[in-house]
């Protein structure tokens, strides 16, 4: 079944038109319907722990201030003065009771309320309604075990509903481990790639690891080194592919907690994980404890990706249709020794930071995918995401729509099914209508 409003996404046959990675009209539609309606990562509670702490980040192409309130809540506002639209806060982070515009001096509390206007009585005659000129507030801000997300659309489902089946896989690491924190500030760089290229890669592409990263695997001697140059074919029982109603998904590589880290970290990380797995088994069961000790490559739709165990945490912020700003943090468990946290943080930047050797491998491919959409004939040709199609199951042993192989494209198909529904809908009511049979659509998909 092709999406009723577009031929971009053919859900039933696992294909997409290449133009999704470089078309201006599609990009503009994404800003309105995808970034305007989806839950987007803002920050972690560990980064703004105290009253007045704030960071400036992006939601789509809009800058927002994310600020800790006196009562402990977190609010987010467009970083734009209500007077003439100047940037309100020029800093990336800090602590402030409020914000004052450098243009005309309008002052706002960190609650978003307009509190001070120069010569209010003299030039406005005391008639300016400050209540109607508060900062534009992001409609919803909620937390998933300390990870703060925001949504512009007040009709969106709760963050808990949005994560859906994915929670079952994430909670062993995000909650039951004792909690996580991000080590920052984030490394930032620009890549000449459409934002969906890295998002789709992290949602479920284990296929490229042995080929794209062959040199890095041999040099770094990680737990994935046996995959180098595809010298070891995938076997049954290596892992899973999982997708969910709203497009978030992941791949599971069993028992590979240390992930991309090289031999200098593997023993210490696996010892840490094995000890905690034994503790968790009594609390959440053997299967979910094993999930904790495994490696999950994940994308929270649309543009937040991470690798558990490896500790890589990213957002892919769109600048334009073929430029993305990449934010990279290290993600660590709160109760880890500080020395181990720092070693992981250094390794994250060495592998997936601005000049990381895994990151460089990936960026070449992401930029190539995007550049090739400039071809007149090429942009209207189909991309293939059919690996494992016809074998996906729902209501099986594991939550979500599941492909029972580590190497597959179940998560790709789920990501783009949701993308097609969201980008072509004008409300959450429409999105829900198009998603009412989402699992049946995916499990009945087949090649042409």
């Amino acid at each position: 079944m092709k999406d009723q409003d577009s031929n971009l996404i053919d859900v039933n046959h696992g294909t997409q038109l290449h133009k999704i990675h470089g078309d201006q009209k599609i990009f503009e539609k994404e800003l309105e319907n995808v970034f305007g309606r989806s839950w987007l990562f803002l920050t972690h509670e560990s980064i703004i722990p105290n009253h007045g702490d704030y960071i400036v980040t992006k939601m789509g192409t809009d800058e927002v201030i994310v600020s800790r309130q006196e009562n402990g809540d977190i609010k987010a506002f467009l970083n734009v003065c209500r007077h003439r639209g100047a940037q309100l806060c020029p800093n990336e982070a800090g602590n402030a009771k409020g914000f004052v515009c450098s243009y005309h001096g309008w002052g706002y509390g960190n609650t978003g309320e307009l509190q001070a206007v120069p010569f209010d009585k003299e030039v406005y005659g005391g008639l300016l309604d400050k209540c109607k000129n508060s900062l534009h507030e992001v409609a919803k801000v909620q937390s998933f075990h300390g990870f703060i997300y925001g949504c512009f659309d007040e009709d969106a489902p709760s963050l808990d509903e949005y994560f859906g089946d994915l929670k079952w896989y994430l909670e062993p690491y995000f909650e039951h481990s004792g909690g996580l924190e991000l080590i920052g500030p984030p490394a930032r760089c620009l890549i000449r790639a459409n934002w969906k290229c890295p998002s789709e890669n992290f949602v479920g592409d284990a296929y490229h690891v042995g080929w794209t990263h062959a040199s890095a695997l041999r040099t770094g001697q990680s737990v994935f080194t046996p995959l180098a140059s595809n010298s070891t074919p995938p076997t049954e029982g290596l892992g899973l592919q999982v997708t969910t109603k709203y497009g978030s998904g992941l791949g599971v590589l069993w028992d590979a907690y240390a992930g991309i880290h090289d031999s200098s970290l593997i023993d210490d990380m696996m010892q840490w994980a094995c000890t905690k797995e034994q503790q968790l088994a009594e609390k959440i069961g053997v299967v979910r404890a094993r999930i904790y000790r495994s490696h999950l490559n994940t994308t929270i739709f649309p543009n937040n990706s991470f690798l558990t165990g490896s500790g890589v945490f990213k957002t892919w912020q769109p600048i334009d249709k073929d430029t993305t700003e990449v934010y990279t943090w290290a993600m660590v468990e709160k109760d880890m020794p500080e020395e181990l946290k720092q070693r992981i943080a250094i390794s994250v930047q060495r592998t997936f930071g601005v000049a990381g050797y895994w990151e460089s491998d990936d960026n070449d491919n992401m930029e190539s995918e995007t550049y090739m959409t400039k071809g007149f004939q090429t942009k209207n040709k189909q991309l293939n995401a059919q690996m494992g199609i016809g074998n996906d199951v729902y209501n099986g042993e594991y939550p979500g729509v599941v492909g029972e192989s580590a190497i597959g494209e179940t998560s790709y198909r789920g990501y783009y099914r949701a993308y097609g529904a969201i980008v072509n809908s004008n409300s959450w009511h429409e999105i829900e209508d198009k998603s009412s049979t989402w699992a049946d659509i995916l499990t009945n998909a087949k090649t042409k």
Side-chain angles (χ1 to χ4, degrees), residues 36 38 65 132 152 263 272 282 292 326 398 406:
S38 302
I65 302 170
K132 291 183 178 180
F152 286 119
S263 55
W272 171 268
E282 298 180 4
Y292 159 80
V326 183
Y398 301 99

Side-chain angles (χ1 to χ4, degrees), residues 8 16 34 120 154 159 162 196 199 230 299 306 313 325 436:
L8 285 178
Q16 309 84 35
V34 176
D120 181 15
E154 61 184 11
L159 184 64
Y162 191 78
K196 294 186 296 302
S199 291
N230 290 349
T299 291
F306 48 84
F313 191 92
E325 186 170 18
S436 60

Side-chain angles (χ1 to χ4, degrees), residues 206-207 226-227 230-239 253 387 405-408:
Y207 187 41
L227 302 175
N230 290 349
S231 56
T232 303
T235 58
E236 290 187 14
L238 186 63
L253 289 170
M387 194 185 309
S405 173
I407 308 296

Side-chain angles (χ1 to χ4, degrees), residues 19 22-31 321 423:
K19 68 191 294 182
D23 183 89
Q24 180 62 29
K25 290 183 179 179
I26 292 173
F27 179 71
E28 292 171 2
K29 205 170 185 181
E30 289 170 348
L31 293 179
K321 64 182 177 62
V423 80

Side-chain angles (χ1 to χ4, degrees), residues 269-405:
M269 291 192 69
M270 292 305 291
Q271 181 178 353
W272 171 268
C274 287
T275 299
K276 186 168 285 188
E277 179 188 20
Q278 294 172 9
Q279 299 168 355
L280 292 181
E282 298 180 4
K283 181 179 180 181
I284 59 176
V286 173
V287 175
R288 296 186 81 197
R290 190 186 183 194
I291 290 281
Y292 159 80
R293 190 169 61 85
S294 298
H295 191 267
L296 311 184
N297 54 274
T298 310
T299 291
I300 304 301
F301 185 91
N303 68 324
N304 170 216
S305 302
F306 48 84
L307 305 175
T308 68
S310 290
V312 177
F313 191 92
K314 289 179 174 286
T315 56
W316 320 102
Q317 305 288 11
I319 302 298
D320 55 42
K321 64 182 177 62
D322 50 19
T323 309
T324 299
E325 186 170 18
V326 183
Y327 289 59
T328 305
W329 294 262
M331 177 172 61
V332 297
E333 295 172 47
K334 288 182 179 179
D335 58 354
M336 280 179 165
E338 288 300 319
E339 182 265 347
L340 182 57
K341 290 180 183 180
Q342 292 305 314
R343 288 167 63 198
I344 292 171
I346 291 170
S347 182
V348 164
Q349 298 303 336
R350 186 170 64 241
T351 51
F352 272 101
V354 173
Y357 50 86
W358 284 66
E359 184 86 346
S360 298
D361 290 342
D362 282 335
N363 286 347
D364 286 345
N365 293 324
M366 309 308 165
E367 294 187 349
S368 174
E369 281 183 90
T370 303
Y371 176 77
M372 297 311 293
T373 64
K374 300 184 186 302
F376 181 77
Q377 297 292 332
T378 300
K379 67 183 179 181
N380 289 312
K381 303 303 182 185
Q382 290 180 337
L383 303 174
N384 186 304
Q386 295 179 339
M387 194 185 309
I389 199 167
N391 297 315
D392 297 332
V393 298
Y394 188 61
N395 288 331
E397 181 181 359
Y398 301 99
V401 168
V402 178
E404 295 186 357
S405 173

Side-chain angles (χ1 to χ4, degrees), residues 79-111:
N79 188 21
V80 178
C81 179
R82 289 295 305 276
H83 181 211
R84 301 307 303 158
Q87 183 186 53
L88 182 60
C89 180
N91 305 316
E92 292 187 6
N95 181 283
K97 295 180 180 178
F99 306 95
V100 179
C101 181
S102 62
Y103 195 0
H104 296 97
W106 281 31
Y108 304 83
N110 79 331
T111 59

